[in-house]
Short mmCIF file of all heavy atoms in Angstrom, two decimals:
data_model
loop_
_atom_site.label_atom_id
_atom_site.label_comp_id
_atom_site.label_asym_id
_atom_site.label_seq_id
_atom_site.Cartn_x
_atom_site.Cartn_y
_atom_site.Cartn_z
N MET A 116 0.83 -1.17 0.00
CA MET A 116 0.01 0.01 0.01
C MET A 116 0.88 1.25 0.01
O MET A 116 1.84 1.33 0.75
CB MET A 116 -0.91 -0.02 1.23
CG MET A 116 -1.93 1.08 1.26
SD MET A 116 -3.04 1.07 2.67
CE MET A 116 -3.84 -0.48 2.53
N LYS A 117 0.54 2.20 -0.84
CA LYS A 117 1.32 3.43 -0.93
C LYS A 117 1.03 4.34 0.23
O LYS A 117 -0.05 4.28 0.85
CB LYS A 117 0.98 4.18 -2.23
CG LYS A 117 1.38 3.47 -3.48
CD LYS A 117 0.98 4.29 -4.68
CE LYS A 117 1.35 3.60 -5.95
NZ LYS A 117 0.95 4.39 -7.13
N LYS A 118 1.99 5.22 0.54
CA LYS A 118 1.81 6.20 1.61
C LYS A 118 0.58 7.07 1.39
O LYS A 118 -0.16 7.37 2.33
CB LYS A 118 3.04 7.09 1.78
CG LYS A 118 4.24 6.40 2.33
CD LYS A 118 5.39 7.38 2.43
CE LYS A 118 6.64 6.67 2.90
NZ LYS A 118 7.77 7.58 3.01
N SER A 119 0.34 7.46 0.16
CA SER A 119 -0.82 8.32 -0.14
C SER A 119 -2.13 7.57 0.13
O SER A 119 -3.10 8.19 0.62
CB SER A 119 -0.79 8.81 -1.59
OG SER A 119 -0.83 7.72 -2.50
N GLU A 120 -2.17 6.28 -0.10
CA GLU A 120 -3.35 5.47 0.19
C GLU A 120 -3.61 5.42 1.69
O GLU A 120 -4.72 5.49 2.17
CB GLU A 120 -3.21 4.06 -0.37
CG GLU A 120 -3.24 3.98 -1.86
CD GLU A 120 -2.99 2.56 -2.34
OE1 GLU A 120 -3.47 1.60 -1.71
OE2 GLU A 120 -2.29 2.42 -3.37
N ILE A 121 -2.53 5.28 2.45
CA ILE A 121 -2.64 5.22 3.90
C ILE A 121 -3.14 6.57 4.44
O ILE A 121 -4.05 6.61 5.27
CB ILE A 121 -1.29 4.85 4.56
CG1 ILE A 121 -0.90 3.42 4.15
CG2 ILE A 121 -1.34 4.99 6.08
CD1 ILE A 121 0.52 3.05 4.47
N ARG A 122 -2.56 7.66 3.93
CA ARG A 122 -3.01 8.98 4.33
C ARG A 122 -4.48 9.19 4.02
O ARG A 122 -5.23 9.74 4.83
CB ARG A 122 -2.21 10.09 3.61
CG ARG A 122 -0.92 10.45 4.28
CD ARG A 122 -0.40 11.78 3.76
NE ARG A 122 -0.52 11.95 2.33
CZ ARG A 122 0.45 11.73 1.44
NH1 ARG A 122 1.63 11.30 1.84
NH2 ARG A 122 0.27 11.94 0.16
N ASN A 123 -4.93 8.75 2.84
CA ASN A 123 -6.34 8.90 2.47
C ASN A 123 -7.24 8.12 3.40
O ASN A 123 -8.30 8.64 3.81
CB ASN A 123 -6.56 8.44 1.02
CG ASN A 123 -6.02 9.42 0.01
OD1 ASN A 123 -5.85 10.61 0.30
ND2 ASN A 123 -5.75 8.92 -1.17
N LYS A 124 -6.86 6.87 3.72
CA LYS A 124 -7.70 6.05 4.60
C LYS A 124 -7.76 6.63 6.01
O LYS A 124 -8.82 6.64 6.63
CB LYS A 124 -7.13 4.60 4.66
CG LYS A 124 -7.43 3.88 3.39
CD LYS A 124 -6.98 2.43 3.50
CE LYS A 124 -7.32 1.71 2.19
NZ LYS A 124 -7.66 0.34 2.37
N ILE A 125 -6.63 7.11 6.52
CA ILE A 125 -6.63 7.72 7.83
C ILE A 125 -7.46 8.99 7.84
O ILE A 125 -8.26 9.26 8.75
CB ILE A 125 -5.18 7.98 8.32
CG1 ILE A 125 -4.51 6.65 8.63
CG2 ILE A 125 -5.18 8.90 9.56
CD1 ILE A 125 -3.03 6.78 8.96
N GLY A 126 -7.32 9.79 6.79
CA GLY A 126 -8.11 11.02 6.67
C GLY A 126 -9.61 10.75 6.66
O GLY A 126 -10.38 11.41 7.34
N LEU A 127 -10.01 9.74 5.89
CA LEU A 127 -11.42 9.37 5.84
C LEU A 127 -11.91 8.87 7.20
O LEU A 127 -13.05 9.14 7.58
CB LEU A 127 -11.67 8.31 4.77
CG LEU A 127 -11.54 8.80 3.31
CD1 LEU A 127 -11.63 7.63 2.34
CD2 LEU A 127 -12.62 9.82 3.00
N ARG A 128 -11.05 8.15 7.90
CA ARG A 128 -11.42 7.62 9.24
C ARG A 128 -11.62 8.78 10.22
O ARG A 128 -12.55 8.79 11.00
CB ARG A 128 -10.35 6.69 9.73
CG ARG A 128 -10.60 6.10 11.11
CD ARG A 128 -11.81 5.19 11.12
NE ARG A 128 -11.91 4.53 12.44
CZ ARG A 128 -13.04 4.20 12.97
NH1 ARG A 128 -14.20 4.36 12.35
NH2 ARG A 128 -13.05 3.61 14.15
N ILE A 129 -10.76 9.78 10.14
CA ILE A 129 -10.88 10.95 11.00
C ILE A 129 -12.21 11.65 10.73
O ILE A 129 -12.97 11.98 11.65
CB ILE A 129 -9.69 11.93 10.82
CG1 ILE A 129 -8.43 11.28 11.33
CG2 ILE A 129 -9.98 13.26 11.53
CD1 ILE A 129 -7.15 12.01 10.92
N LYS A 130 -12.51 11.86 9.46
CA LYS A 130 -13.75 12.53 9.08
C LYS A 130 -14.96 11.73 9.54
O LYS A 130 -15.92 12.27 10.08
CB LYS A 130 -13.81 12.78 7.58
CG LYS A 130 -15.05 13.53 7.18
CD LYS A 130 -15.04 13.90 5.71
CE LYS A 130 -16.28 14.70 5.38
NZ LYS A 130 -16.27 15.11 3.96
N GLU A 131 -14.90 10.42 9.33
CA GLU A 131 -16.00 9.54 9.74
C GLU A 131 -16.25 9.66 11.26
O GLU A 131 -17.40 9.82 11.68
CB GLU A 131 -15.63 8.10 9.37
CG GLU A 131 -16.59 7.06 9.90
CD GLU A 131 -16.08 5.63 9.69
OE1 GLU A 131 -14.85 5.39 9.79
OE2 GLU A 131 -16.92 4.76 9.39
N LEU A 132 -15.20 9.59 12.04
CA LEU A 132 -15.35 9.68 13.49
C LEU A 132 -15.82 11.08 13.91
O LEU A 132 -16.68 11.22 14.81
CB LEU A 132 -14.04 9.36 14.19
CG LEU A 132 -13.61 7.89 14.14
CD1 LEU A 132 -12.17 7.75 14.57
CD2 LEU A 132 -14.54 7.05 15.03
N ARG A 133 -15.32 12.10 13.26
CA ARG A 133 -15.73 13.47 13.59
C ARG A 133 -17.23 13.65 13.33
O ARG A 133 -17.96 14.21 14.17
CB ARG A 133 -14.89 14.46 12.77
CG ARG A 133 -15.19 15.91 13.11
CD ARG A 133 -14.31 16.84 12.33
NE ARG A 133 -14.35 16.68 10.87
CZ ARG A 133 -15.38 17.06 10.10
NH1 ARG A 133 -16.43 17.61 10.62
NH2 ARG A 133 -15.31 16.87 8.80
N VAL A 134 -17.71 13.14 12.22
CA VAL A 134 -19.13 13.24 11.88
C VAL A 134 -19.97 12.43 12.88
O VAL A 134 -20.99 12.87 13.34
CB VAL A 134 -19.38 12.81 10.41
CG1 VAL A 134 -20.86 12.68 10.11
CG2 VAL A 134 -18.73 13.81 9.45
N GLN A 135 -19.50 11.23 13.23
CA GLN A 135 -20.21 10.40 14.20
C GLN A 135 -20.33 11.11 15.54
O GLN A 135 -21.33 10.92 16.25
CB GLN A 135 -19.47 9.07 14.42
CG GLN A 135 -19.65 8.07 13.33
CD GLN A 135 -18.84 6.81 13.58
OE1 GLN A 135 -18.25 6.60 14.61
NE2 GLN A 135 -18.80 5.94 12.57
N HIS A 136 -19.33 11.89 15.90
CA HIS A 136 -19.35 12.65 17.18
C HIS A 136 -20.02 14.01 17.02
O HIS A 136 -20.00 14.81 17.97
CB HIS A 136 -17.90 12.83 17.69
CG HIS A 136 -17.30 11.57 18.27
ND1 HIS A 136 -16.70 10.61 17.50
CD2 HIS A 136 -17.23 11.15 19.55
CE1 HIS A 136 -16.27 9.64 18.28
NE2 HIS A 136 -16.58 9.93 19.53
N ASN A 137 -20.64 14.25 15.87
CA ASN A 137 -21.34 15.52 15.60
C ASN A 137 -20.42 16.73 15.85
O ASN A 137 -20.84 17.70 16.48
CB ASN A 137 -22.61 15.63 16.44
CG ASN A 137 -23.65 14.62 16.03
OD1 ASN A 137 -23.90 14.40 14.86
ND2 ASN A 137 -24.23 13.94 17.01
N LEU A 138 -19.20 16.67 15.34
CA LEU A 138 -18.25 17.75 15.51
C LEU A 138 -17.93 18.37 14.17
O LEU A 138 -17.69 17.66 13.18
CB LEU A 138 -16.94 17.22 16.13
CG LEU A 138 -17.03 16.65 17.53
CD1 LEU A 138 -15.77 15.89 17.87
CD2 LEU A 138 -17.29 17.78 18.53
N THR A 139 -17.91 19.68 14.14
CA THR A 139 -17.42 20.37 12.95
C THR A 139 -15.90 20.33 12.95
O THR A 139 -15.29 20.05 13.98
CB THR A 139 -17.87 21.85 12.94
OG1 THR A 139 -17.28 22.50 14.06
CG2 THR A 139 -19.39 21.95 12.98
N GLN A 140 -15.32 20.61 11.81
CA GLN A 140 -13.85 20.70 11.77
C GLN A 140 -13.37 21.76 12.74
O GLN A 140 -12.38 21.58 13.44
CB GLN A 140 -13.36 21.06 10.37
CG GLN A 140 -13.38 19.88 9.43
CD GLN A 140 -12.85 20.25 8.07
OE1 GLN A 140 -12.72 21.41 7.72
NE2 GLN A 140 -12.54 19.23 7.26
N GLU A 141 -14.07 22.87 12.76
CA GLU A 141 -13.71 23.99 13.65
C GLU A 141 -13.68 23.56 15.12
O GLU A 141 -12.73 23.80 15.82
CB GLU A 141 -14.67 25.18 13.43
CG GLU A 141 -14.35 26.38 14.25
CD GLU A 141 -13.19 27.19 13.68
OE1 GLU A 141 -12.94 27.14 12.48
OE2 GLU A 141 -12.54 27.87 14.48
N LYS A 142 -14.78 22.93 15.53
CA LYS A 142 -14.87 22.50 16.94
C LYS A 142 -13.82 21.46 17.29
O LYS A 142 -13.17 21.54 18.34
CB LYS A 142 -16.26 21.98 17.26
CG LYS A 142 -16.43 21.61 18.70
CD LYS A 142 -17.88 21.52 19.10
CE LYS A 142 -17.90 21.19 20.57
NZ LYS A 142 -19.03 21.68 21.24
N PHE A 143 -13.62 20.48 16.40
CA PHE A 143 -12.65 19.43 16.67
C PHE A 143 -11.23 20.01 16.67
O PHE A 143 -10.41 19.63 17.50
CB PHE A 143 -12.79 18.30 15.67
CG PHE A 143 -11.99 17.08 16.07
CD1 PHE A 143 -12.23 16.41 17.25
CD2 PHE A 143 -10.96 16.62 15.26
CE1 PHE A 143 -11.47 15.30 17.63
CE2 PHE A 143 -10.22 15.50 15.60
CZ PHE A 143 -10.46 14.84 16.80
N ALA A 144 -10.98 20.94 15.78
CA ALA A 144 -9.66 21.60 15.73
C ALA A 144 -9.41 22.32 17.04
O ALA A 144 -8.30 22.23 17.61
CB ALA A 144 -9.60 22.56 14.56
N LEU A 145 -10.40 23.02 17.57
CA LEU A 145 -10.23 23.71 18.85
C LEU A 145 -10.01 22.73 20.00
O LEU A 145 -9.18 22.98 20.86
CB LEU A 145 -11.45 24.58 19.15
CG LEU A 145 -11.59 25.85 18.31
CD1 LEU A 145 -12.96 26.50 18.52
CD2 LEU A 145 -10.46 26.83 18.61
N MET A 146 -10.72 21.61 19.97
CA MET A 146 -10.59 20.59 21.01
C MET A 146 -9.18 19.99 21.05
O MET A 146 -8.70 19.66 22.12
CB MET A 146 -11.60 19.46 20.79
CG MET A 146 -13.02 19.80 21.08
SD MET A 146 -14.16 18.46 20.54
CE MET A 146 -13.47 17.04 21.34
N THR A 147 -8.59 19.81 19.89
CA THR A 147 -7.33 19.12 19.78
C THR A 147 -6.13 20.05 19.64
O THR A 147 -4.99 19.58 19.71
CB THR A 147 -7.34 18.16 18.55
OG1 THR A 147 -7.62 18.94 17.38
CG2 THR A 147 -8.38 17.06 18.74
N GLY A 148 -6.38 21.33 19.43
CA GLY A 148 -5.28 22.28 19.26
C GLY A 148 -4.61 22.17 17.91
O GLY A 148 -3.45 22.57 17.74
N ILE A 149 -5.35 21.66 16.94
CA ILE A 149 -4.82 21.50 15.56
C ILE A 149 -5.48 22.60 14.73
O ILE A 149 -6.69 22.83 14.80
CB ILE A 149 -5.15 20.11 15.01
CG1 ILE A 149 -4.49 19.02 15.86
CG2 ILE A 149 -4.71 20.00 13.54
CD1 ILE A 149 -4.95 17.63 15.54
N ASN A 150 -4.72 23.25 13.87
CA ASN A 150 -5.24 24.27 12.99
C ASN A 150 -6.35 23.67 12.09
O ASN A 150 -6.18 22.57 11.55
CB ASN A 150 -4.10 24.84 12.14
CG ASN A 150 -4.54 25.87 11.17
OD1 ASN A 150 -5.10 25.55 10.12
ND2 ASN A 150 -4.29 27.12 11.52
N ARG A 151 -7.47 24.36 11.94
CA ARG A 151 -8.59 23.83 11.19
C ARG A 151 -8.23 23.50 9.72
O ARG A 151 -8.59 22.45 9.20
CB ARG A 151 -9.80 24.77 11.21
CG ARG A 151 -11.05 24.08 10.71
CD ARG A 151 -11.99 24.96 9.93
NE ARG A 151 -11.42 25.73 8.90
CZ ARG A 151 -11.20 25.31 7.63
NH1 ARG A 151 -11.50 24.08 7.29
NH2 ARG A 151 -10.70 26.11 6.76
N SER A 152 -7.49 24.36 9.06
CA SER A 152 -7.17 24.10 7.66
C SER A 152 -6.18 22.90 7.56
O SER A 152 -6.26 22.12 6.61
CB SER A 152 -6.58 25.33 6.98
OG SER A 152 -5.39 25.75 7.59
N TYR A 153 -5.32 22.77 8.55
CA TYR A 153 -4.41 21.58 8.59
C TYR A 153 -5.23 20.32 8.79
O TYR A 153 -5.00 19.31 8.11
CB TYR A 153 -3.41 21.80 9.73
CG TYR A 153 -2.38 20.72 9.88
CD1 TYR A 153 -1.49 20.41 8.84
CD2 TYR A 153 -2.21 20.05 11.09
CE1 TYR A 153 -0.52 19.42 9.00
CE2 TYR A 153 -1.25 19.09 11.24
CZ TYR A 153 -0.41 18.77 10.22
OH TYR A 153 0.57 17.82 10.38
N LEU A 154 -6.22 20.36 9.68
CA LEU A 154 -7.10 19.22 9.90
C LEU A 154 -7.85 18.88 8.62
O LEU A 154 -7.98 17.70 8.26
CB LEU A 154 -8.08 19.51 11.03
CG LEU A 154 -9.12 18.44 11.34
CD1 LEU A 154 -8.43 17.14 11.79
CD2 LEU A 154 -10.07 18.91 12.41
N ALA A 155 -8.36 19.90 7.92
CA ALA A 155 -9.07 19.66 6.67
C ALA A 155 -8.16 18.96 5.64
O ALA A 155 -8.59 18.03 4.96
CB ALA A 155 -9.57 20.97 6.12
N ASP A 156 -6.90 19.40 5.56
CA ASP A 156 -5.96 18.78 4.63
C ASP A 156 -5.64 17.35 5.03
O ASP A 156 -5.50 16.48 4.16
CB ASP A 156 -4.65 19.59 4.55
CG ASP A 156 -4.78 20.87 3.77
OD1 ASP A 156 -5.78 21.03 3.01
OD2 ASP A 156 -3.90 21.73 3.88
N ILE A 157 -5.58 17.09 6.32
CA ILE A 157 -5.37 15.69 6.78
C ILE A 157 -6.55 14.84 6.38
O ILE A 157 -6.40 13.73 5.87
CB ILE A 157 -5.14 15.66 8.31
CG1 ILE A 157 -3.82 16.29 8.68
CG2 ILE A 157 -5.19 14.20 8.82
CD1 ILE A 157 -3.59 16.49 10.18
N GLU A 158 -7.78 15.33 6.61
CA GLU A 158 -8.96 14.56 6.26
C GLU A 158 -9.03 14.25 4.76
O GLU A 158 -9.52 13.19 4.36
CB GLU A 158 -10.22 15.32 6.68
CG GLU A 158 -10.48 15.29 8.17
CD GLU A 158 -11.81 15.92 8.56
OE1 GLU A 158 -12.57 16.37 7.65
OE2 GLU A 158 -12.11 15.94 9.75
N LYS A 159 -8.54 15.15 3.94
CA LYS A 159 -8.53 14.95 2.49
C LYS A 159 -7.37 14.10 2.01
O LYS A 159 -7.29 13.75 0.84
CB LYS A 159 -8.45 16.30 1.77
CG LYS A 159 -9.70 17.16 1.97
CD LYS A 159 -9.45 18.50 1.30
CE LYS A 159 -10.52 19.51 1.74
NZ LYS A 159 -10.16 20.89 1.31
N GLY A 160 -6.46 13.78 2.92
CA GLY A 160 -5.29 13.00 2.56
C GLY A 160 -4.21 13.82 1.86
O GLY A 160 -3.31 13.26 1.23
N HIS A 161 -4.29 15.15 1.99
CA HIS A 161 -3.31 16.03 1.32
C HIS A 161 -2.11 16.40 2.19
O HIS A 161 -1.22 17.06 1.68
CB HIS A 161 -4.01 17.33 0.90
CG HIS A 161 -5.08 17.13 -0.11
ND1 HIS A 161 -5.99 18.07 -0.44
CD2 HIS A 161 -5.40 16.05 -0.91
CE1 HIS A 161 -6.82 17.62 -1.33
NE2 HIS A 161 -6.45 16.40 -1.67
N ARG A 162 -2.11 16.00 3.44
CA ARG A 162 -1.02 16.43 4.33
C ARG A 162 -0.40 15.25 5.04
O ARG A 162 -1.08 14.32 5.46
CB ARG A 162 -1.58 17.33 5.44
CG ARG A 162 -1.70 18.77 5.13
CD ARG A 162 -0.32 19.38 4.91
NE ARG A 162 -0.45 20.81 4.77
CZ ARG A 162 -0.14 21.70 5.72
NH1 ARG A 162 0.36 21.31 6.85
NH2 ARG A 162 -0.30 22.97 5.49
N ASN A 163 0.90 15.28 5.18
CA ASN A 163 1.62 14.37 6.06
C ASN A 163 1.45 14.91 7.47
O ASN A 163 1.32 16.11 7.67
CB ASN A 163 3.10 14.32 5.73
CG ASN A 163 3.36 13.57 4.43
OD1 ASN A 163 2.69 12.58 4.15
ND2 ASN A 163 4.33 14.04 3.69
N PHE A 164 1.49 14.05 8.46
CA PHE A 164 1.39 14.48 9.84
C PHE A 164 2.16 13.50 10.69
O PHE A 164 2.37 12.35 10.31
CB PHE A 164 -0.04 14.60 10.29
CG PHE A 164 -0.85 13.35 10.06
CD1 PHE A 164 -0.95 12.39 11.04
CD2 PHE A 164 -1.47 13.12 8.86
CE1 PHE A 164 -1.66 11.23 10.84
CE2 PHE A 164 -2.21 11.96 8.64
CZ PHE A 164 -2.32 11.01 9.63
N GLY A 165 2.56 13.97 11.86
CA GLY A 165 3.35 13.15 12.74
C GLY A 165 2.52 12.38 13.78
O GLY A 165 1.32 12.57 13.91
N PHE A 166 3.23 11.56 14.50
CA PHE A 166 2.58 10.76 15.54
C PHE A 166 1.94 11.63 16.63
O PHE A 166 0.87 11.32 17.11
CB PHE A 166 3.61 9.80 16.18
CG PHE A 166 2.98 8.85 17.15
CD1 PHE A 166 2.28 7.76 16.70
CD2 PHE A 166 3.12 9.05 18.52
CE1 PHE A 166 1.67 6.87 17.59
CE2 PHE A 166 2.55 8.20 19.42
CZ PHE A 166 1.82 7.11 18.96
N GLY A 167 2.57 12.76 16.95
CA GLY A 167 2.00 13.66 17.94
C GLY A 167 0.65 14.18 17.55
O GLY A 167 -0.28 14.28 18.37
N THR A 168 0.50 14.50 16.26
CA THR A 168 -0.80 14.98 15.75
C THR A 168 -1.82 13.86 15.81
O THR A 168 -2.96 14.06 16.22
CB THR A 168 -0.64 15.52 14.30
OG1 THR A 168 0.30 16.57 14.32
CG2 THR A 168 -1.97 15.98 13.74
N LEU A 169 -1.42 12.67 15.38
CA LEU A 169 -2.33 11.53 15.44
C LEU A 169 -2.76 11.23 16.86
O LEU A 169 -3.92 10.94 17.13
CB LEU A 169 -1.69 10.28 14.82
CG LEU A 169 -2.55 9.03 14.78
CD1 LEU A 169 -3.82 9.28 13.95
CD2 LEU A 169 -1.78 7.87 14.20
N GLU A 170 -1.82 11.35 17.78
CA GLU A 170 -2.15 11.14 19.21
C GLU A 170 -3.21 12.11 19.68
O GLU A 170 -4.16 11.73 20.35
CB GLU A 170 -0.87 11.28 20.02
CG GLU A 170 -1.04 10.97 21.49
CD GLU A 170 0.30 10.99 22.22
OE1 GLU A 170 1.19 11.78 21.86
OE2 GLU A 170 0.43 10.19 23.15
N ARG A 171 -3.07 13.40 19.33
CA ARG A 171 -4.06 14.41 19.72
C ARG A 171 -5.44 14.10 19.11
O ARG A 171 -6.45 14.30 19.75
CB ARG A 171 -3.58 15.80 19.33
CG ARG A 171 -2.42 16.20 20.23
CD ARG A 171 -1.61 17.39 19.83
NE ARG A 171 -2.22 18.51 19.19
CZ ARG A 171 -1.54 19.43 18.55
NH1 ARG A 171 -0.22 19.36 18.50
NH2 ARG A 171 -2.13 20.44 17.98
N ILE A 172 -5.44 13.61 17.87
CA ILE A 172 -6.69 13.29 17.21
C ILE A 172 -7.38 12.12 17.90
O ILE A 172 -8.56 12.16 18.24
CB ILE A 172 -6.43 12.99 15.71
CG1 ILE A 172 -6.07 14.30 14.99
CG2 ILE A 172 -7.64 12.31 15.08
CD1 ILE A 172 -5.54 14.10 13.59
N VAL A 173 -6.63 11.05 18.12
CA VAL A 173 -7.21 9.87 18.77
C VAL A 173 -7.71 10.19 20.16
O VAL A 173 -8.82 9.81 20.54
CB VAL A 173 -6.16 8.70 18.78
CG1 VAL A 173 -6.69 7.54 19.63
CG2 VAL A 173 -5.86 8.24 17.36
N GLU A 174 -6.91 10.91 20.94
CA GLU A 174 -7.32 11.33 22.27
C GLU A 174 -8.54 12.24 22.22
O GLU A 174 -9.39 12.20 23.09
CB GLU A 174 -6.15 12.02 23.01
CG GLU A 174 -5.09 11.04 23.44
CD GLU A 174 -3.93 11.72 24.11
OE1 GLU A 174 -3.90 12.97 24.24
OE2 GLU A 174 -2.99 10.99 24.51
N GLY A 175 -8.61 13.08 21.17
CA GLY A 175 -9.77 13.96 21.01
C GLY A 175 -11.07 13.21 20.87
O GLY A 175 -12.12 13.69 21.29
N PHE A 176 -11.01 12.04 20.25
CA PHE A 176 -12.19 11.21 20.09
C PHE A 176 -12.44 10.35 21.35
O PHE A 176 -13.51 9.75 21.48
CB PHE A 176 -12.07 10.28 18.88
CG PHE A 176 -12.15 11.01 17.57
CD1 PHE A 176 -11.16 10.88 16.62
CD2 PHE A 176 -13.23 11.85 17.28
CE1 PHE A 176 -11.22 11.54 15.42
CE2 PHE A 176 -13.30 12.52 16.06
CZ PHE A 176 -12.30 12.36 15.13
N GLY A 177 -11.47 10.28 22.23
CA GLY A 177 -11.64 9.48 23.44
C GLY A 177 -11.67 8.00 23.17
O GLY A 177 -12.43 7.26 23.84
N ILE A 178 -10.91 7.55 22.18
CA ILE A 178 -10.89 6.13 21.84
C ILE A 178 -9.48 5.61 21.88
O ILE A 178 -8.52 6.38 21.96
CB ILE A 178 -11.53 5.88 20.44
CG1 ILE A 178 -10.74 6.62 19.35
CG2 ILE A 178 -12.99 6.25 20.41
CD1 ILE A 178 -11.21 6.33 17.92
N SER A 179 -9.33 4.29 21.76
CA SER A 179 -7.99 3.69 21.72
C SER A 179 -7.49 3.66 20.28
O SER A 179 -8.26 3.86 19.34
CB SER A 179 -8.08 2.24 22.26
OG SER A 179 -8.82 1.44 21.34
N TYR A 180 -6.20 3.42 20.14
CA TYR A 180 -5.63 3.31 18.81
C TYR A 180 -6.24 2.13 18.04
O TYR A 180 -6.47 2.22 16.84
CB TYR A 180 -4.11 3.18 18.89
CG TYR A 180 -3.43 4.50 19.12
CD1 TYR A 180 -3.05 4.84 20.42
CD2 TYR A 180 -3.18 5.38 18.09
CE1 TYR A 180 -2.45 6.05 20.68
CE2 TYR A 180 -2.56 6.61 18.34
CZ TYR A 180 -2.19 6.93 19.64
OH TYR A 180 -1.63 8.14 19.88
N SER A 181 -6.49 1.03 18.74
CA SER A 181 -7.09 -0.10 18.05
C SER A 181 -8.47 0.24 17.54
O SER A 181 -8.86 -0.19 16.44
CB SER A 181 -7.12 -1.33 18.96
OG SER A 181 -7.87 -1.12 20.12
N GLU A 182 -9.24 1.01 18.31
CA GLU A 182 -10.54 1.46 17.80
C GLU A 182 -10.40 2.39 16.60
O GLU A 182 -11.17 2.32 15.66
CB GLU A 182 -11.32 2.17 18.92
CG GLU A 182 -11.80 1.25 20.04
CD GLU A 182 -12.37 2.03 21.20
OE1 GLU A 182 -11.64 2.88 21.76
OE2 GLU A 182 -13.53 1.75 21.55
N PHE A 183 -9.44 3.28 16.68
CA PHE A 183 -9.21 4.21 15.59
C PHE A 183 -8.84 3.49 14.31
O PHE A 183 -9.38 3.77 13.23
CB PHE A 183 -8.09 5.21 15.92
CG PHE A 183 -7.84 6.20 14.79
CD1 PHE A 183 -8.65 7.30 14.65
CD2 PHE A 183 -6.81 5.99 13.89
CE1 PHE A 183 -8.43 8.18 13.59
CE2 PHE A 183 -6.57 6.88 12.86
CZ PHE A 183 -7.39 7.98 12.72
N PHE A 184 -7.96 2.51 14.39
CA PHE A 184 -7.49 1.81 13.19
C PHE A 184 -8.38 0.63 12.78
O PHE A 184 -8.11 -0.01 11.78
CB PHE A 184 -6.05 1.33 13.38
CG PHE A 184 -5.06 2.48 13.30
CD1 PHE A 184 -4.43 2.93 14.44
CD2 PHE A 184 -4.77 3.08 12.09
CE1 PHE A 184 -3.54 3.99 14.38
CE2 PHE A 184 -3.89 4.13 12.00
CZ PHE A 184 -3.25 4.58 13.15
N GLU A 185 -9.44 0.38 13.52
CA GLU A 185 -10.34 -0.70 13.21
C GLU A 185 -10.91 -0.51 11.81
O GLU A 185 -11.45 0.52 11.44
CB GLU A 185 -11.50 -0.70 14.23
CG GLU A 185 -12.38 -1.90 14.21
CD GLU A 185 -13.36 -1.86 15.36
OE1 GLU A 185 -12.91 -1.92 16.52
OE2 GLU A 185 -14.54 -1.71 15.07
N GLY A 186 -10.77 -1.54 10.99
CA GLY A 186 -11.35 -1.49 9.63
C GLY A 186 -10.47 -0.82 8.60
O GLY A 186 -10.87 -0.74 7.43
N LEU A 187 -9.30 -0.32 8.99
CA LEU A 187 -8.45 0.32 7.96
C LEU A 187 -7.67 -0.74 7.27
O LEU A 187 -6.98 -1.29 7.02
CB LEU A 187 -7.51 1.36 8.58
CG LEU A 187 -8.15 2.65 9.06
CD1 LEU A 187 -7.12 3.63 9.57
CD2 LEU A 187 -8.87 3.32 7.90
#
């Protein structure tokens, strides 16, 4: 699997979880301390991001890493 495919799948998973939690990008960005436009680019698979950012996202949803990566 290519890196871009992984980024796309993770981005879609973030968006899916955000919608399930009834959160706008703006609200989730504020909750996690991530810039909203950066979050939007991550969701679209257009941005690379580090483990620290992923950690803030997963913690923002209040789930485990295994729950986050479930089905990817």
Side-chain angles (χ1 to χ4, degrees):
M116 187 179 300
K117 294 180 181 180
K118 289 180 184 180
S119 61
E120 291 176 38
I121 295 168
R122 274 197 318 263
N123 287 337
K124 287 183 178 214
I125 290 174
L127 289 172
R128 179 66 173 149
I129 293 167
K130 183 174 182 177
E131 172 188 37
L132 288 167
R133 184 177 55 73
V134 170
Q135 284 177 7
H136 285 84
N137 294 315
L138 296 167
T139 63
Q140 282 181 346
E141 182 77 26
K142 183 162 181 152
F143 191 61
L145 288 170
M146 288 171 53
T147 58
I149 299 169
N150 179 282
R151 193 214 49 85
S152 63
Y153 183 58
L154 177 62
D156 285 345
I157 291 172
E158 286 186 359
K159 294 175 192 170
H161 295 166
R162 274 295 187 104
N163 287 324
F164 54 91
F166 185 77
T168 300
L169 182 61
E170 185 174 33
R171 288 167 35 196
I172 289 168
V173 172
E174 288 177 358
F176 290 125
I178 60 175
S179 68
Y180 282 96
S181 61
E182 290 171 303
F183 179 81
F184 285 107
E185 192 174 294
L187 289 183

